Amino acid sequence: MRTNELFAKKTVFSFEVFPPKPDTPIETIYAALDELSQLHPDFISVTCGASGSGSGGNRTVEVASAIKHTYGCETAAHMPCIYLTEDDALRTLDELKKAGIENILALRGDETPGRERAHVFEHASDLVAFIKRNAPEFNVIGACYPEGHTEAQTMAADIRNLKTKVDAGASELISQLFFDNATFYRFLERCEIAGISVPIEAGIMPVTNKKQIERMVSLCGATLPVKFQRAIAKYGDNAEAMRDIGIAYAIDQIADLLANGVDGIHVYTMNNPYIAKKITEAVKNLL
């Protein structure tokens, strides 16, 4: 099923997982997928790991196929593009098609130091347009950044780039993580003004340890509200307390977002069924 069709029927609730590393048996993710699928998300997206080499080379297709065909849940495969040639992209699209996967999250992808870019798809919008030209049967999802992409010169420039991505054929958007809902609401207003009318899912990251939050902030520049900073200062050195406060904060975020009529919630599960279950149980009656 094309995930963009879900938004006309309900508030969408989805998860993200990542495949095991190449030196780890693929079976290590199956127990988590079994538990996550029993929570009945609308779909589960599968990241492409850190290699940025497309969906075929690092188990994304295999995991996405298992989600759909073994666990009976719709899925979306991440497809980063800065290291892809056109032949690489066509090969990946063929693998996805053969696996029965209908949804692709088209991304530029992160750069690997010392690795030369292919200079074919410089932006995610280039990949979106390529997919729509060569394999229009796929539903293409785009990423968006409530606080602006870290490389964008201004928020206005980032919104213009997002409009280009949507005009190229992205039929829905999933946001980067954020911790201040007011930031997300301002972002939605900017999108409306720019004429971006596709559904936008709010990406929520339950932060369960101090190192995780420090890494997330350094990677994507997310702003931490004062109340969350205080929680981290008080509970950051207590593993169980930090886990619980991270889950509670995510639930509070989601409840407010749902009350304000967002199109959907996308939970970055970090392959942790316990966290996903706690959040799902808390918000299921709000969806």
Side-chain angles (χ1 to χ4, degrees):
M1 181 181 185
R2 295 164 63 95
T3 55
N4 65 310
E5 297 171 0
L6 295 166
F7 293 92
K9 306 172 185 176
K10 65 190 300 290
T11 303
V12 172
F13 187 68
S14 57
F15 296 153
E16 179 179 288
V17 298
F18 54 84
K21 294 179 180 179
D23 58 353
T24 303
I26 191 73
E27 292 78 14
T28 57
I29 197 174
Y30 290 159
L33 292 178
D34 185 52
E35 291 189 60
L36 290 171
S37 63
Q38 290 180 40
L39 299 175
H40 306 294
D42 291 303
F43 69 92
I44 300 176
S45 72
V46 185
T47 75
C48 207
S51 69
S53 58
S55 293
N58 59 9
R59 299 180 163 187
T60 301
V61 175
E62 188 173 357
V63 173
S65 181
I67 289 170
K68 184 162 186 175
H69 302 297
T70 303
Y71 298 101
C73 183
E74 193 50 73
T75 189
H78 290 216
M79 187 174 172
C81 65
I82 56 172
Y83 297 111
L84 296 181
T85 64
E86 288 196 358
D87 285 344
D88 293 332
L90 289 171
R91 187 162 47 249
T92 298
L93 292 174
D94 188 56
E95 290 178 12
L96 291 167
K97 195 180 303 182
K98 288 178 178 176
I101 295 163
E102 300 174 73
N103 305 288
I104 296 172
L105 178 52
L107 303 160
R108 190 199 72 170
D110 297 326
E111 289 199 65
T112 302
R115 185 178 180 187
E116 179 64 27
R117 294 167 63 157
H119 299 293
V120 175
F121 304 104
E122 297 291 353
H123 307 284
S125 56
D126 299 327
L127 178 62
V128 174
F130 181 84
I131 295 171
K132 299 312 288 186
R133 283 197 309 271
N134 292 277
E137 64 272 24
F138 283 105
N139 173 53
V140 184
I141 306 166
C144 59
Y145 304 87
E147 297 184 68
H149 192 282
T150 53
E151 296 179 20
Q153 292 186 342
T154 65
M155 192 69 205
D158 197 49
I159 293 291
R160 285 196 297 272
N161 293 336
L162 183 60
K163 182 68 162 61
T164 299
K165 189 187 301 184
V166 171
D167 290 345
S171 62
E172 61 186 282
L173 301 170
I174 296 175
S175 90
Q176 174 65 275
L177 63 91
F178 60 92
F179 300 103
D180 185 347
N181 285 4
T183 298
F184 186 71
Y185 299 140
R186 286 194 297 272
F187 170 73
L188 292 182
E189 289 175 359
R190 292 186 176 110
C191 287
E192 184 176 1
I193 292 168
I196 297 169
S197 58
V198 299
I200 302 175
E201 274 196 278
I204 299 297
M205 168 72 80
V207 176
T208 56
N209 66 71
K210 194 173 181 179
K211 286 185 178 179
Q212 182 189 22
I213 186 62
E214 291 170 350
R215 181 172 180 272
M216 289 300 103
V217 170
S218 67
L219 281 175
C220 65
T223 302
L224 291 178
V226 173
K227 67 175 182 179
F228 198 25
Q229 292 182 38
R230 288 173 179 164
I232 295 168
K234 184 168 184 177
Y235 301 111
D237 296 324
N238 181 326
E240 290 188 355
M242 189 62 221
R243 179 198 65 192
D244 290 346
I245 199 69
I247 292 171
Y249 191 88
I251 290 169
D252 183 60
Q253 266 195 283
I254 293 169
D256 179 73
L257 290 163
L258 293 174
N260 281 278
V262 295
D263 296 315
I265 303 292
H266 189 68
V267 180
Y268 297 105
T269 71
M270 304 301 290
N271 292 17
N272 191 319
Y274 174 85
I275 294 171
K277 184 177 181 181
K278 289 294 184 183
I279 291 174
T280 303
E281 289 175 344
V283 305
K284 63 183 178 182
N285 292 328
L286 307 180
L287 294 165

